[in-house]
């Protein structure tokens, strides 16, 4: 387990005075102001936009490199009644991108289809085999638009161009960089990627679906079409933005908030069917990231085929929607079973007392489709960059087995840049700062692992957790906890707040203390005001402290619902409970 360091923000007198001024001038609670100020929202305008920002605050798409080329090529293609194929990816972002593209273009009367590689046989992104498959089924194709992929697909884009196709690349991943630090873009008719080194768009954090949504919104505006239809797709865009773990700041926060508003109206049958089958009672960022997103991802992870996830949102047949939604739910249950079993296997082979700088786990039986989940869980548990490899099923006659890898990283270790420096060991790679994928010959894994560990030698792996605010236990109630919902959506770059809890005094008259769990390993305390303090696996720690009647803790306040009754509780993080 990694070392954890809890820290409190340190403010100058100028900051303290500014915070007081904001609390006086704004109609929000002091707790909310403290949290937002610590996270960089330091003016009245910043905070008002945070709470009240809407679609009018979206950035100007015309400043995106090649956005006008996108409009020009698409307009000509539609006017000439030419076939368009969207070439997307098999994850939530890619699936959402395909849905948005097909729906938006069909609404304009365009002839459009979509294509997504099989994860296991086709791999990630546009390639020659995929282009051939498109032309075999849709020989009249004239334009391919890539969504959530394509920025590094130089060979495939050139192949498509040689076939006489127009190609527009839309992506949000890192472009290829040569030895001199220059970007190399694919030779497409237009290349739109918010991470282009020469990009003039003010925000580089959009996901793939966010990029194509902004481009199609711009197209609708330029061509004089009503924007209402595009806005009706915001629930899908919000899902992709939350699930692709892009930073929930700037316009991403607006896209997710507006998407959640739309989803709560219950107007899209696909989401309503999932909500019913998954017994979802509250629609928030957690619902997107931990309920709907994993279900949509499950198809691509287990079968390699994500088309049913796209078709769930394209069909108007209610019985078909019900069937496809049930398939997603069933597949997700199987995905969870496999990922839980294989995560356990991976962790059993990690020496927690002798952690390397980067954890590399390779088992031939690992399922390629859940490798990213396993890597993410290892990263969270040990606070180390984690790489999980599985067999690709292909063996070169002279070079041996080739493996596929999913990598997840932590703040301070840029995974994509590290892979670039170690590319001599790899066959191909792609991704971004926090997540990446690559292929490698099995014989190169030991050398790659050694080189990666040396590359990041000296990294401080202490996990620093900021305590956003300290709460007085006598003042924590259902109303004050409910108010924290105003900060939702939570996600990358805007995590759920962490709180200190002070002045918690055990109510010795009604309930001195209580140990829970099969082995009495959990702790539940209650104060006179009715606040319960819950510490999972915290019983031993409390006993070691000699069962004090006044404690302080670090964690998160929550509302517990039991048999229809609501009550406030504070869930302790990382067993962090101390004597007062």
């Amino acid at each position: 387990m990694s070392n954890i360091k809890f820290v409190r923000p340190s403010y100058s007198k100028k900051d303290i005075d500014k915070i007081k001024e904001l609390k006086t001038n704004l109609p929000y609670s002091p707790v909310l102001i403290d949290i937002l100020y610590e996270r960089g929202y330091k003016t009245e305008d910043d905070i008002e936009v945070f709470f009240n920002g809407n679609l009018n605050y979206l950035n100007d798409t015309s400043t995106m490199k090649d956005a006008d080329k996108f409009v020009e090529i698409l307009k000509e293609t539609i006017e000439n009644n030419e076939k368009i194929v969207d070439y997307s990816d098999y994850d939530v972002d890619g699936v959402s991108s395909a849905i948005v593209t097909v729906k938006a273009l069909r609404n304009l009367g365009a002839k459009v289809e979509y294509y997504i590689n099989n994860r296991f046989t086709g791999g990630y992104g546009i390639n020659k085999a995929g282009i051939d498959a498109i032309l075999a089924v849709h020989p009249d194709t004239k334009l391919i638009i890539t969504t959530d992929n394509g920025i590094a697909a130089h060979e495939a884009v050139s192949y498509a161009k040689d076939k006489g196709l127009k190609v527009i690349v839309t992506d949000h991943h890192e472009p290829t960089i040569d030895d001199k630090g220059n970007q190399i873009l694919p030779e497409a008719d237009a290349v739109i990627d918010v991470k282009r080194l020469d990009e003039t768009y003010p925000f580089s954090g959009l996901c793939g679906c966010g990029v194509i949504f902004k481009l199609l919104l711009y197209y609708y505006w330029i061509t004089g079409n009503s924007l209402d239809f595009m806005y009706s797709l915001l629930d899908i865009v919000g899902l992709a933005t939350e699930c692709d773990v892009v930073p929930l700041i700037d316009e991403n926060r607006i896209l997710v908030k507006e998407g959640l508003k739309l989803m709560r109206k219950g107007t899209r049958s696909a989401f309503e069917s999932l909500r019913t089958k998954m017994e979802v009672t509250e629609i928030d960022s957690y619902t997107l990231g931990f309920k709907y997103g994993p279900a949509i991802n499950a198809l691509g992870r287990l079968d390699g085929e994500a088309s049913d996830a796209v078709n769930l949102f394209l069909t108007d047949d209610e019985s078909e929607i019900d069937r496809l939604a049930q398939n997603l739910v069933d597949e997700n249950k199987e995905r969870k079973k496999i990922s839980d079993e294989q995560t356990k296997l991976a962790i059993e082979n990690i020496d927690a007392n002798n952690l390397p700088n980067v954890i590399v786990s390779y088992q031939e039986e690992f399922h390629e489709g859940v490798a990213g989940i396993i890597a993410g869980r290892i990263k969270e548990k040990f606070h180390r960059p984690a790489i999980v490899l599985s067999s690709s099923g292909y063996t070169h006659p002279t070079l041996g087995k080739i493996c596929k890898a999913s990598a997840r990283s932590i703040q301070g270790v840029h995974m994509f840049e590290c892979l670039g420096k170690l590319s001599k060991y790899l066959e191909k790679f792609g991704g971004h700062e926090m997540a990446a994928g690559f292929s490698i010959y099995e014989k190169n894994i030991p050398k790659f692992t050694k080189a990666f560990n040396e590359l990041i030698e000296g990294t401080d792996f202490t996990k620093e957790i900021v305590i956003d605010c300290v709460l007085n236990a006598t003042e924590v109630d259902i109303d004050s906890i409910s108010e924290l919902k105003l900060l939702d959506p939570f996600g990358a770059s805007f995590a759920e707040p962490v709180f200190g809890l002070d002045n918690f005094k055990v109510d010795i008259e009604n309930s001195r203390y209580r140990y829970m769990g099969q082995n009495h390993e959990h702790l539940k305390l209650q104060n006179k005001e009715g606040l319960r303090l819950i510490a999972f696996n915290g019983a031993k720690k409390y006993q070691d402290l000699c069962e004090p009647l006044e404690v302080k803790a670090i964690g998160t306040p929550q509302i517990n619902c039991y048999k229809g009754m609501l009550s406030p509780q504070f869930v302790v993080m990382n067993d962090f409970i101390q004597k007062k």
Side-chain angles (χ1 to χ4, degrees), residues 300-341:
R301 290 191 183 280
L302 295 191
D303 308 356
E305 290 287 349
S307 56
D308 273 1
V310 180
N311 296 336
L312 170 64
F313 290 86
L314 294 184
T315 184
D316 294 321
D317 185 326
E318 291 295 331
S319 63
E320 182 68 356
I321 288 172
D322 186 69
R323 183 188 72 81
L324 292 172
Q326 188 62 54
N327 185 31
L328 261 66
V329 172
D330 293 342
E331 287 285 289
N332 190 45
K333 289 177 181 176
E334 179 64 16
R335 185 275 312 163
K336 187 177 187 306
K337 177 176 176 289
I338 294 171
S339 57
D340 287 349
E341 290 171 351

Side-chain angles (χ1 to χ4, degrees), residues 111 119 153 162 225 430 497:
K111 294 166 59 178
R119 182 183 198 125
D162 290 343
N225 288 281

Side-chain angles (χ1 to χ4, degrees), residues 19-301:
I19 292 170
K20 288 180 180 178
E21 180 185 333
L22 291 171
K23 289 176 179 178
T24 300
N25 295 343
L26 292 173
Y28 307 109
S29 76
V31 170
L32 296 183
I33 299 295
D34 283 338
I35 292 169
L36 289 177
Y37 195 88
E38 186 273 322
R39 297 182 179 205
Y41 298 86
K42 299 190 174 184
T43 69
E44 292 184 27
D45 286 345
D46 288 342
I47 293 171
E48 288 292 358
V49 171
F50 176 90
F51 285 116
N52 303 307
N54 55 39
L55 296 171
N56 293 323
Y57 289 86
L58 294 181
N59 296 314
D60 180 3
T61 311
S62 71
T63 62
M64 275 188 195
K65 288 285 186 181
D66 282 3
D68 288 321
K69 285 185 182 180
F70 173 90
V71 171
E72 180 185 340
I73 295 166
L74 185 58
K75 187 171 185 293
E76 179 185 39
T77 303
I78 293 175
E79 286 176 348
N80 291 337
N81 201 32
E82 294 175 338
K83 174 68 70 66
I84 303 165
V85 174
D86 172 62
Y87 201 132
S88 202
D89 187 26
Y90 38 70
D91 68 356
V92 178
D93 192 14
V95 165
S96 301
S97 299
I99 296 165
V100 167
T101 304
V102 171
K103 279 184 167 290
L105 293 182
R106 284 182 181 172
N107 184 60
L108 296 174
K111 294 166 59 178
V112 58
E113 303 292 340
Y114 74 89
Y115 181 84
I116 297 175
N117 292 343
N118 179 289
R119 182 183 198 125
F120 306 125
T121 60
Y124 168 77
I126 184 172
N127 57 41
K128 292 180 180 180
I131 294 165
D132 289 341
I134 288 170
L135 293 176
V137 179
H138 306 291
D140 56 339
T141 301
K142 298 299 180 183
L143 169 64
I144 289 179
I145 301 174
T146 72
T147 52
D148 192 32
N149 76 96
I151 193 64
H154 306 279
E155 187 176 350
V157 170
S158 296
Y159 181 75
K161 293 295 296 176
D162 290 343
K163 292 282 188 180
L165 298 170
K166 295 175 285 187
V167 180
I168 297 175
V169 168
T170 77
D171 203 350
H172 74 119
H173 294 95
E174 305 278 354
T176 304
I177 308 296
D178 66 18
D179 294 338
K180 297 180 180 178
N182 301 311
Q183 71 177 0
I184 306 172
L185 300 178
E187 295 181 354
D189 297 275
V191 178
I192 302 96
D193 188 324
V194 288
K195 289 191 176 68
R196 282 179 57 159
L197 297 188
D198 58 341
E199 186 55 73
T200 51
Y201 191 69
F203 181 57
S204 64
L206 290 170
C207 68
C209 186
V211 172
I212 193 63
F213 170 78
K214 291 299 301 290
L215 288 167
L216 289 167
L217 184 67
Y218 183 52
Y219 180 86
Y220 268 61
W221 182 72
I222 287 290
T223 54
N225 288 281
S226 170
L227 303 184
D228 290 345
F229 185 82
M230 288 304 304
Y231 291 149
S232 76
L233 301 175
L234 278 164
D235 52 349
I236 299 166
V237 181
L239 172 76
T241 303
E242 177 71 34
C243 293
D244 210 49
V245 202
V246 289
L248 281 193
I249 57 175
D250 204 281
E251 62 187 342
N252 278 347
R253 171 160 292 276
I254 295 171
L255 294 174
V256 176
K257 284 182 72 173
E258 294 295 326
L260 287 168
K261 284 181 189 176
L262 187 57
M263 202 176 293
R264 289 177 187 127
K265 293 180 180 179
T267 56
R268 194 174 303 282
S269 296
F271 281 130
E272 283 302 283
S273 185
L274 287 174
R275 181 186 62 78
T276 300
K277 295 179 188 306
M278 302 184 84
E279 299 179 346
V280 171
T281 57
E282 184 175 11
I283 295 173
D284 54 17
S285 56
Y286 181 88
T287 310
L288 304 186
F290 293 93
K291 296 286 188 177
Y292 295 165
I296 290 170
N297 258 336
L299 293 180
R301 290 191 183 280

